Amino acid sequence: EVQLVESGGGLVQPGGSLRLSCAASGFTFSSYWMSWVRQAPGKGLEWVANIKQDGSEKYYVDSVKGRFTISRDNAKNSLYLQMNSLRAEDTAVYYCARSGGSCYMYWGQGTLVTVSS
Amino acid sequence: DIQMTQSPSSLSASVGDRVTITCQASQDISNYLNWYQQKPGKAPKLLIYDASNLETGVPSRFSGSGSGTDFTFTISSLQPEDIATYYCQQYDNLPSFGPGTKVDIK
């Protein structure tokens, strides 16, 4: 059974940093692109970043470029999102998702990031 | 960047009604269009991929069609458990989601 379990969310002050993790199991992690998708409270879904199987390609939504870094450790079956210079508008539930072709077939349960003083 | 629009933003229908949601892309995305269902407090669930393919295990009352820039999602007979928000998502280059359509029971 495919499982994606996010962790690392919490309350952080504006300008602060946070590192999210996603532990993957039930599939060959190194064979799939992986993504982070977020959802601000009461709002829609927003793709944040994705990373190729070997980590050689990474892409970001414009609003997080230069502040967020996506990475992965295939030996640990883990995906990460390092978030720096956090802003109030980064407040959201962050989902880890497995890419499959053009779609996201598997999602984690999400981890809440709150940026507030 | 490709922008996605959805209409309506919300709708209210009776059990058994046919429900249709449209999604429009700002440029040609071929059939790289997926549909998700999200219930409150839950992660999205893939229903339709590549515009018209039903994900395994998804009831056949859900369907999708379209290509290029215009796409349609249909629930042929609305059921109480279909109350949710529905999102389209394109993946022609970098992915993006539509703003969502909230479906309620009248």
Side-chain angles (χ1 to χ4, degrees):
Chain A
E1 179 194 5
V2 172
Q3 282 200 315
L4 298 168
V5 180
E6 302 94 337
S7 61
L11 175 63
V12 60
Q13 292 189 340
S17 298
L18 214 54
R19 189 196 196 206
L20 306 184
S21 299
C22 172
S25 61
F27 65 100
T28 304
F29 181 73
S30 59
S31 296
Y32 292 88
W33 282 77
M34 296 295 296
S35 295
W36 289 98
V37 177
R38 68 184 178 183
Q39 186 169 36
K43 302 297 184 182
L45 300 167
E46 180 182 42
W47 167 78
V48 174
N50 60 9
I51 184 169
K52 195 176 179 179
Q53 289 93 328
D54 62 358
S56 61
E57 294 182 36
K58 305 175 185 181
Y59 300 95
Y60 301 90
V61 68
D62 285 347
S63 59
V64 308
K65 282 180 183 176
R67 301 188 300 122
F68 289 12
T69 302
I70 189 172
S71 63
R72 65 192 295 162
D73 185 335
N74 287 341
K76 295 183 177 180
N77 291 337
S78 293
L79 176 71
Y80 306 101
L81 186 67
Q82 177 67 43
M83 304 185 295
N84 299 330
S85 303
L86 282 161
R87 306 167 180 167
E89 55 264 36
D90 295 319
T91 294
V93 173
Y94 284 75
Y95 294 102
C96 163
R98 192 190 89 174
S99 299
S102 71
C103 62
Y104 298 110
M105 191 179 302
Y106 296 101
W107 300 68
Q109 84 289 351
T111 187
L112 176 62
V113 173
T114 303
V115 184
S116 175
S117 55
Chain B
D1 294 357
I2 298 174
Q3 307 301 317
M4 306 300 293
T5 57
Q6 271 182 250
S7 62
S9 57
S10 66
L11 66 90
S12 187
S14 299
V15 172
D17 281 355
R18 183 180 186 87
V19 168
T20 298
I21 299 168
T22 63
C23 177
Q24 187 168 57
S26 59
Q27 63 189 69
D28 190 332
I29 58 169
S30 183
N31 68 331
Y32 298 135
L33 192 285
N34 309 304
W35 291 95
Y36 300 84
Q37 175 193 67
Q38 188 181 32
K39 297 182 177 181
K42 300 293 186 182
K45 175 186 176 182
L46 177 67
L47 298 181
I48 302 286
Y49 63 95
D50 295 345
S52 60
N53 295 293
L54 191 68
E55 172 65 355
T56 302
V58 174
S60 59
R61 63 180 180 274
F62 296 101
S63 65
S65 64
S67 67
T69 60
D70 296 301
F71 301 86
T72 300
F73 173 81
T74 300
I75 307 174
S76 60
S77 177
L78 186 68
Q79 299 302 303
E81 60 266 32
D82 300 336
I83 299 312
T85 300
Y86 294 84
Y87 295 93
C88 61
Q89 174 247 323
Q90 67 80 22
Y91 208 142
D92 180 63
N93 183 11
L94 297 180
S96 60
F97 292 86
T101 296
K102 187 174 183 181
V103 175
D104 281 327
I105 295 287
K106 191 181 296 182

